Amino acid sequence: MVPITTLHYLVVAAALFVLGVIGVLTRRNVVIVLMSIELILNAVNLNLVAFSRIWGLHGQIFPIFAIPDAAEEAAVGLYTLIAIFRNKETVSVDEVHLLKW
């Protein structure tokens, strides 16, 4: 068996990051955009944990704080989405101009 190295973790994290960026840039549904942002945050957390294999436990401390922050961000995002849906009756990014000047 081939041992799993830091490079394997970095490749998976890069794939997650690219999928997240593609989802944010191409999708027009707010729920999908929020899920893509979560993919990007998980890729960053995976990078931190992968580098902690090299430099000690310092990289594992940051995801402990980043994961609850991502959960809070998802909760606030979904609350905002529900409030917009009640007013505009749509979840499309193109049709929501509520936060523009």
Side-chain angles (χ1 to χ4, degrees):
M1 287 182 58
V2 177
I4 297 177
T5 63
T6 307
L7 181 64
H8 292 94
Y9 289 111
L10 295 179
V11 168
V12 171
L16 282 175
F17 188 81
V18 167
L19 284 174
V21 168
I22 289 172
V24 168
L25 294 177
T26 60
R27 299 296 178 181
R28 292 294 147 219
N29 191 343
V30 177
V31 177
I32 303 297
V33 170
L34 287 174
M35 288 173 54
S36 299
I37 291 171
E38 291 295 324
L39 276 177
I40 293 170
L41 290 173
N42 285 330
V44 170
N45 287 336
L46 187 59
N47 274 331
L48 288 170
V49 172
F51 284 122
S52 73
R53 293 184 69 188
I54 298 171
W55 293 312
L57 291 177
H58 301 294
Q60 292 182 0
I61 301 297
F62 292 112
I64 289 173
F65 295 107
I67 290 171
D69 184 46
E72 178 268 330
E73 176 250 333
V76 170
L78 288 175
Y79 175 75
T80 306
L81 175 68
I82 291 170
I84 290 173
F85 182 75
R86 286 181 181 171
N87 289 333
K88 298 288 186 177
E89 295 183 359
T90 183
V91 291
S92 177
V93 176
D94 293 333
E95 296 177 14
V96 176
H97 303 291
L98 188 63
L99 299 177
K100 288 187 179 180
W101 285 91

